[in-house]
Amino acid sequence: MAHDMILKGRLWILSENGKLFSDIDTDMIYHNAHLAVTDIDKMGQYAFGNLEGYRDFSSQARPGDLVLAGENFGSGSSRQHAVDCFKALGVQAVIARSFGAIYKRNAINSGFPIIELPDLPDEPFNQFDQIELNLEDGTLSAWDNRYQGNPMSEVARDIYLAGGLFQYAEKM
Amino acid sequence: MGRTLIEKIMSSHGGGNCGPGDVVWIDIDNRTARDFAGASVVGNLEKYGGDSPIAEKSKTFFTFDCNVPANTIPYANNQQRIRIFARKHDLKVYDVDAGIGSHVVIEEKFARPGTTTVGTDSHLNIMGSVGAFGQGMGDVDIAYAFKTGKVWFEVPESIRVTLEGLPADGTEAKDIALAMLRRFSSHELLGKSIEIYGPWVQSASLEDCVTLSSLATEMGAIIALIPPNDNVLEFFGITRNEAVYADSDAAYLEDYTLDIEGLKPLIAAPPSPTNVFPVSEKTDVKVDGVFIGSCTNGTYKDLKYAAELLKGRKVAPGVMLKVVPATRATWARLLGEGLLKDIFDAGGIVSNAGCGGCASGQIGMTGEGEVQISTSNRNFKGKQGKGNTYLAGIGTAVASAVLGRIASVHDLKEVL
């Protein structure tokens, strides 16, 4: 399960005024009031704690869920917490039209899958649809809908399959 | 085919003959971590670092700037954990008195033109101001850099931005950065390395370059590189031949021009740094507090300018003016030249050096409905408290503090 290339689960669609939520920054994902937390297991409770409309995410999310957002997800600070809080909750992956550059690195390095689908429409599926995300070819599908995104880069895939940057480095 | 500035820096640091999209392992000259996330770097090294967790001690150090001195027990614990680790491995700690790490790295001349620096600070790409590579990264990356001296990096595509013309008097580097945010938003430069050219950057001070480059993060860019001009070369005591520049025939993904001729002061209204207006359109907004400082606008030049504007004037009744010099050296210089007295006499609060208003409320947070003018770089909802934060340059910040409403430095001339 940990390093599957095909992920299946329930999809949280983050939207704002009928559009995919864009520019969700790291303070909305994981507020700076909780930055001193270093134990990953304690980070889950703060996920989206500062995101309007989704403040109850941490109590409603289930292990295996996936999250979908608009452009520039994870812009802002370099905090690893903004990735780790999802791992703590058992969220399998985050899908977005695009990601902030540092967020992308942090996700890749900790072996947390993220997939970019630049051409995603605002209502690709219904909230909580069961979806299938193929990391290998970058497709996201449910029912008859299928969207083509960017496949995982080679480095991202290698680090993901190794289980993280340090584990990957050991194999080099 | 020629090469862009970032391609040349990456090539000279182990990237070989690399181009955009290539993933390369690059050698890092300066490996830093702050009090924020530094404890997690230590945690990673204790878990994965083995017997020799530090590749080169002389290139590896901690900088405390986020919560200084610690005002919460968790932060105090994290800082102490870092100190103990640093003592054990003989690493230097720029402790709670030192100021903002990204500025210290330039002040100490560690981040020289053409070098590479990483740390747990999303504004570490401020090194672009001296034509050097810098990048904020998470604790896993930084721990890896501490241990091996390397990080992987996907060479970004480069975009050239030429600023045409010169701004009006009273317009600052911050206003130019806001003009770029207005034009490019946070999407158009996402993930790109930008190089900034034009007559303004050719004669800009080092401090103004720092201000401009510091907003690259809000533009979504990897870095905003400014080719070292004479002022920057002089600061480092080097010649053009010792710095790195893009080849004249380098290939850029896009070549943009931005007209800044006669540009007047700008302000970013909440909730985003890209929500930019002329200051003149916001002059009916009443102000409760003003923060002057941060890695964007906390240099000696910035605070000297603030002090000169404040000299002989008073902060409006009921308005808080909070001033935080970026580094201890900045503090010392302002103190020695009597400039802090001008700020104090005007009614300002001056705090110890550090990240000030941006981090965990080193100099306070905003309350519900509170309007704050900040010279920092982020005004996202909830970032600096419950209030509404506007981003502006020094002149606008001081004028707003004195007049009690949003105002530009030109409005200040009517006072006194």
Side-chain angles (χ1 to χ4, degrees):
Chain A
M1 174 79 193
H3 309 308
D4 290 344
M5 290 304 284
I6 293 177
L7 308 177
K8 294 174 184 175
R10 187 176 77 147
L11 184 69
W12 282 78
I13 301 174
L14 307 179
S15 51
E16 184 190 37
N17 306 325
K19 294 191 164 162
L20 280 183
F21 214 135
S22 283
D23 297 308
I24 296 176
D25 85 294
T26 51
D27 267 314
M28 300 176 193
I29 300 171
Y30 190 99
H31 194 263
N32 65 53
H34 316 296
L35 286 181
V37 177
T38 55
D39 180 353
I40 289 182
D41 294 337
K42 292 188 179 138
M43 294 178 190
Q45 59 186 310
Y46 303 117
F48 291 141
N50 187 38
L51 183 67
E52 207 120 282
Y54 298 91
R55 289 180 208 277
D56 60 352
F57 177 82
S58 66
S59 61
Q60 303 297 316
R62 297 185 212 139
D65 284 355
L66 296 94
V67 170
L68 186 148
E71 271 136 18
N72 201 18
F73 184 86
S75 61
S77 95
S78 61
R79 68 197 64 164
Q80 191 82 38
H81 308 66
V83 172
D84 290 341
C85 63
F86 296 123
K87 294 177 77 173
L89 292 172
V91 171
Q92 292 197 82
V94 176
I95 305 149
R97 286 199 187 115
S98 61
F99 289 89
I102 303 177
Y103 193 87
K104 207 164 152 180
R105 286 192 74 82
N106 286 346
I108 291 170
N109 283 338
S110 61
F112 182 71
I114 54 168
I115 289 289
E116 281 180 317
L117 282 100
D119 301 322
L120 216 50
D122 280 314
E123 292 176 35
F125 304 105
N126 298 317
Q127 186 72 309
F128 299 138
D129 270 355
Q130 286 291 322
I131 57 101
E132 183 176 305
L133 178 67
N134 186 325
L135 304 176
E136 195 81 55
D137 65 10
T139 54
L140 175 66
S141 48
W143 309 104
D144 293 335
N145 287 344
R146 190 162 179 277
Y147 300 101
Q148 181 66 50
N150 303 332
M152 246 182 172
S153 73
E154 208 177 306
V155 177
R157 192 190 59 210
D158 291 348
I159 294 175
Y160 168 66
L161 291 174
L165 180 63
F166 286 100
Q167 293 82 348
Y168 168 68
E170 279 168 15
K171 295 179 184 172
M172 284 173 66
Chain B
M1 177 71 84
R3 329 191 67 189
T4 66
L5 190 37
I6 197 154
E7 288 161 18
K8 288 178 82 167
I9 295 173
M10 302 234 151
S11 293
S12 68
H13 284 77
N17 190 25
C18 61
D22 292 343
V23 175
V24 292
W25 288 94
I26 51 170
D27 302 319
I28 301 301
D29 298 314
N30 305 300
R31 309 137 196 183
T32 74
R34 311 161 75 190
D35 47 342
F36 156 63
S40 297
V41 171
V42 168
N44 286 323
L45 290 170
E46 286 171 350
K47 195 167 171 190
Y48 301 109
D51 297 332
S52 55
I54 308 297
E56 285 163 283
K57 293 182 178 184
S58 63
K59 296 182 172 182
T60 309
F61 47 92
F62 292 96
T63 60
F64 292 177
D65 54 17
C66 197
N67 198 304
V68 290
N71 61 13
T72 68
I73 291 169
Y75 256 109
N77 285 341
N78 286 349
Q79 289 175 358
Q80 191 59 14
R81 186 176 178 193
I82 293 168
R83 289 187 192 105
I84 290 166
F85 180 85
R87 278 176 212 145
K88 184 174 165 190
H89 295 284
D90 195 24
L91 300 177
K92 183 160 175 64
V93 176
Y94 290 85
D95 216 300
V96 295
D97 59 328
I100 302 176
S102 62
H103 283 228
V104 170
V105 170
I106 295 174
E107 254 174 26
E108 295 269 27
K109 299 188 172 67
F110 294 151
R112 306 170 73 82
T115 58
T116 56
T117 302
V118 297
T120 55
D121 175 353
S122 57
H123 287 100
L124 216 79
N125 51 12
I126 224 164
M127 305 316 159
S129 60
V130 298
F133 178 74
Q135 199 68 50
M137 295 182 177
D139 56 72
V140 173
D141 257 315
I142 298 305
Y144 191 83
F146 273 35
K147 175 156 173 69
T148 68
K150 292 175 188 293
V151 297
W152 63 267
F153 210 80
E154 183 179 336
V155 181
E157 284 167 315
S158 292
I159 288 179
R160 179 162 59 189
V161 176
T162 304
L163 304 175
E164 288 187 333
L166 290 169
D169 281 348
T171 297
E172 302 167 34
K174 180 64 155 288
D175 301 307
I176 293 169
L178 291 172
M180 288 185 69
L181 282 158
R182 178 169 64 177
R183 159 78 184 271
F184 299 114
S185 187
S186 59
H187 300 154
E188 214 164 329
L189 304 172
L190 189 64
K192 306 294 192 289
S193 169
I194 46 181
E195 294 177 21
I196 306 179
Y197 294 89
W200 185 84
V201 290
Q202 262 171 29
S203 59
S205 65
L206 168 60
E207 292 89 339
D208 285 344
C209 293
V210 164
T211 299
L212 185 56
S213 287
S214 76
L215 270 303
T217 304
E218 283 61 44
M219 296 172 200
I222 293 286
I223 191 166
L225 288 157
I226 299 177
N229 63 21
D230 289 345
N231 296 324
V232 172
L233 295 174
E234 190 189 327
F235 173 79
F236 287 102
I238 60 173
T239 64
R240 272 187 76 87
N241 293 335
E242 295 167 87
V244 181
Y245 297 90
D247 293 331
S248 55
D249 59 343
Y252 295 89
L253 179 70
E254 299 282 354
D255 212 338
Y256 293 124
T257 56
L258 179 61
D259 183 8
I260 59 165
E261 180 66 32
L263 182 74
K264 294 195 170 73
L266 299 173
I267 192 163
S272 153
T274 60
N275 190 25
V276 175
F277 299 87
V279 170
S280 57
E281 286 180 20
K282 292 286 171 188
T283 52
D284 54 348
V285 177
K286 196 190 163 317
V287 169
D288 299 297
V290 172
F291 165 62
I292 295 178
S294 86
C295 61
T296 290
N297 268 130
T299 62
Y300 166 76
K301 182 181 185 242
D302 288 325
L303 270 54
K304 179 174 189 275
Y305 181 42
E308 286 168 355
L309 291 173
L310 285 165
K311 191 177 172 69
R313 295 191 168 102
K314 289 280 182 204
V315 171
V319 173
M320 287 175 281
L321 171 63
K322 306 185 273 194
V323 179
V324 182
T327 66
R328 186 175 175 83
T330 303
W331 227 100
R333 209 168 155 192
L334 294 165
L335 184 70
E337 295 177 12
L339 294 165
L340 294 182
K341 184 168 177 2
D342 297 329
I343 297 170
F344 181 86
D345 287 346
I349 303 166
V350 184
S351 175
N352 58 304
C355 292
C358 290
S360 297
Q362 185 201 342
I363 192 158
M365 308 288 277
T366 58
E368 193 96 46
E370 187 175 326
V371 173
Q372 173 182 246
I373 312 300
S374 171
T375 65
S376 68
N377 41 54
R378 289 190 186 138
N379 58 349
F380 302 123
K381 205 163 185 176
K383 167 77 181 166
Q384 298 181 351
K386 290 275 183 196
N388 303 317
T389 293
Y390 291 74
L391 305 176
I394 299 291
T396 302
V398 170
S400 302
V402 169
L403 292 166
R405 60 165 174 87
I406 289 178
S408 80
V409 70
H410 302 293
D411 303 320
L412 196 57
K413 287 174 184 151
E414 297 158 17
V415 183
L416 212 123

